[in-house]
């Protein structure tokens, strides 16, 4: 089979011929139709991920067709169109993952290949209204957004939500899921173009975080937010604390702008705020997320589709952060 190969840190992605995997007990082999990129893949290429095991076949997200099942696996899965939960070994505590927790694509071989071997319990039927490219965009970013919004921040219909960094995969799912749940959604972005695109999805408004006093301006427009979903951290997080209403909940799943700035602790305790760290999700989070997508007919936003052979170009496009939606590799 063809697979996208990363020889070592800071090496280019190349396409190689590799032996097709075989399903063992409790496993399935999926013929990959499409696979999606995540910021995680860029970090791994640059050696900034906490696991370092090279050479590697990356890719945490995929959709495809079950080509083989191992011993003990229901044979009705054969030839089914599926998406794959990329998590393994979450553990028994739903509040936090175990030390053994891992994600498909590092350290084990991932989905940037024509076939991938996965635990059969991680298979989910592909929502019928989605193409393979749309379905491939869903798993990692979708479950991260779902857990931050619902499991952690307990979003309720009618609440006001702020999602930072509109354009990224998780942020867009947070927007779509919050809208589907009956929330009023606002966004921040570094470009007016992305704010306008978010408005096309149904958000009430947005603000450019590069503008001076953007936090004060947004507070004046909205009165504040019940739930705030953030991937940036950095100095901007100070503004999120100020923008949170009394009893507000802040969910943070990333830290692209680095260390959080100086926060007045009184703004946290006097307003009774809750700040939740969140990443990925349990099998139940994933199942709930897929159910929401199916019931509400949600379609992931796909920015661009590259052929498998152009994985390196796709990675550089992601690194530039110009996308509005997911970047997907069409495999076969």
């Amino acid at each position: 089979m063809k697979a996208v190969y990363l020889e070592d840190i800071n090496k280019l992605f190349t396409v190689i011929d590799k032996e097709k995997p075989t399903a063992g007990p409790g496993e399935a082999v999926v013929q990959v139709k499409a696979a999606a990129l995540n910021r995680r893949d860029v970090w791994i290429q640059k050696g900034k991920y906490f696991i370092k095991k090279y050479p590697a076949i990356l890719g945490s997200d995929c959709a495809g067709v079950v080509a083989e099942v191992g011993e003990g696996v229901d044979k009705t899965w054969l030839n089914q169109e599926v998406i794959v939960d990329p998590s393994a070994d979450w553990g028994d505590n739903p509040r936090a993952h175990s030390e053994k927790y891992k994600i498909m694509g590092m350290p084990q071989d991932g989905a940037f290949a024509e076939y991938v071997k996965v635990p059969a319990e991680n298979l989910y039927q592909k929502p019928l209204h989605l193409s393979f490219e749309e379905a491939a965009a869903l798993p990692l970013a979708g479950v991260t957004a779902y857990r931050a919004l619902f499991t952690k921040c307990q979003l309720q219909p009618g609440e006001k939500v702020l999602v930072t960094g509109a354009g990224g995969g998780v942020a867009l799912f947070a927007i779509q899921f919050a809208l589907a749940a009956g929330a009023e959604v606002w966004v921040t972005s570094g470009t007016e173009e992305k704010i306008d695109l978010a408005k096309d999805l149904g958000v009430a408004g947005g603000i450019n975080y590069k503008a001076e006093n953007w936090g004060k301006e947004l507070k004046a427009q909205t009165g504040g937010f019940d739930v705030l979903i953030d991937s940036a951290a950095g100095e901007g997080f100070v503004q999120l604390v100020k923008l949170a209403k009394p009893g507000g909940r802040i969910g943070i799943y990333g830290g692209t702008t680095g260390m959080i700035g100086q926060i007045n602790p009184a703004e946290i305790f006097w307003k009774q705020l809750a700040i939740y760290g969140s990443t990925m999700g349990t099998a139940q989070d994933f199942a709930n997320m897929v159910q929401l997508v199916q019931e509400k007919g949600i379609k992931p936003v796909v920015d661009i589709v590259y052929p498998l052979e152009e994985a390196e170009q796709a990675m550089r496009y992601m690194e530039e952060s110009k996308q509005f939606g997911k970047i997907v590799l069409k495999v076969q």
Side-chain angles (χ1 to χ4, degrees):
M1 69 172 186
K2 291 181 180 178
V4 175
Y5 181 76
L6 179 62
E7 183 181 358
D8 208 339
I9 295 172
N10 289 324
K11 296 291 187 179
L12 300 181
F13 286 96
T14 58
V15 177
I16 63 168
D17 287 321
K18 191 177 189 299
E19 186 176 353
K20 175 184 168 184
T22 301
E27 295 177 334
V29 172
V30 175
Q31 182 185 21
V32 180
K33 297 293 186 180
L37 274 65
N38 291 285
R39 184 69 57 177
R40 172 181 190 266
D41 300 310
V42 174
W43 292 339
I44 291 172
Q45 187 182 29
K46 292 180 176 297
K48 295 181 178 180
Y49 195 63
F50 73 99
I51 298 174
K52 295 176 176 63
K53 185 180 177 183
Y54 304 87
I57 307 296
L58 304 190
S60 304
D61 291 340
C62 71
V65 176
V66 178
E68 179 189 340
V69 295
E71 182 183 347
V73 179
D74 188 343
K75 288 184 169 50
T76 59
W77 276 114
L78 285 169
N79 301 316
Q80 292 287 320
E81 296 183 353
V82 296
I83 58 174
V84 178
D85 179 354
S87 292
D89 297 323
W90 178 278
D92 297 329
N93 182 2
R95 298 180 64 182
H97 55 72
S98 72
E99 292 182 357
K100 295 181 179 179
Y101 177 71
K102 52 186 177 289
I103 302 169
M104 183 168 70
M106 175 69 78
Q108 73 272 39
D109 286 350
F112 293 168
E114 291 182 320
Y115 294 88
V116 64
K117 180 172 66 173
V118 301
E121 64 184 7
N122 287 33
L123 298 175
Y124 290 78
Q125 289 193 334
K126 178 177 76 67
L128 294 176
H129 68 286
L130 300 183
S131 68
F132 281 114
E133 290 79 10
E134 290 167 337
L138 187 59
L140 191 152
V143 75
T144 298
Y146 184 93
R147 181 174 176 85
L149 266 178
F150 300 109
T151 307
K152 291 297 188 85
C153 290
Q154 295 289 305
L155 176 66
Q156 301 299 311
E159 289 192 311
K160 194 174 292 184
V161 177
L162 178 66
V163 179
T164 68
V170 179
L172 283 172
F173 280 121
I175 291 167
Q176 291 179 293
F177 294 169
L179 288 169
E184 178 184 324
V185 182
W186 290 69
V187 300
T188 72
S189 177
T191 72
E192 297 300 327
E193 179 186 8
K194 289 184 180 181
I195 292 172
D196 289 340
L197 289 169
K199 288 178 180 177
D200 291 341
L201 293 175
V203 307
I207 196 163
N208 192 321
Y209 57 71
K210 295 178 181 178
E212 188 176 358
N213 296 321
W214 67 267
K216 288 184 178 179
E217 185 178 335
L218 189 57
K219 182 71 173 288
Q221 290 182 36
T222 64
F225 299 92
D226 302 291
V227 172
L228 304 94
I229 303 297
D230 181 54
S231 64
E235 292 296 327
F237 196 85
V238 177
Q239 299 305 316
L240 302 188
V241 172
K242 294 178 182 296
L243 284 163
K245 290 181 179 180
R249 293 89 73 201
I250 303 174
I252 179 169
Y253 63 90
T256 55
T257 58
M259 301 293 286
I260 291 172
Q262 292 187 334
I263 293 174
N264 179 357
E267 292 195 79
I268 297 175
F269 65 73
W270 193 250
K271 290 198 289 185
Q272 305 277 346
L273 302 185
I275 299 174
Y276 295 106
S278 189
T279 188
M280 296 298 296
T282 64
Q284 188 62 59
D285 290 326
F286 194 90
N288 291 345
M289 180 271 294
V290 173
Q291 183 178 359
L292 177 67
V293 169
Q294 290 173 327
E295 289 180 352
K296 299 294 185 179
I298 296 168
K299 283 202 166 193
V301 179
V302 175
D303 181 273
I304 190 169
V305 179
Y306 286 88
L308 182 69
E309 291 77 11
E310 295 180 13
E312 176 61 29
Q313 292 94 312
M315 207 67 63
R316 302 287 68 78
Y317 181 75
M318 166 162 275
E319 191 175 16
E320 293 171 357
S321 297
K322 293 180 179 179
Q323 75 274 15
F324 186 85
K326 294 289 288 183
I327 302 166
V328 176
L329 299 178
K330 185 177 178 63
V331 179
Q332 50 189 328

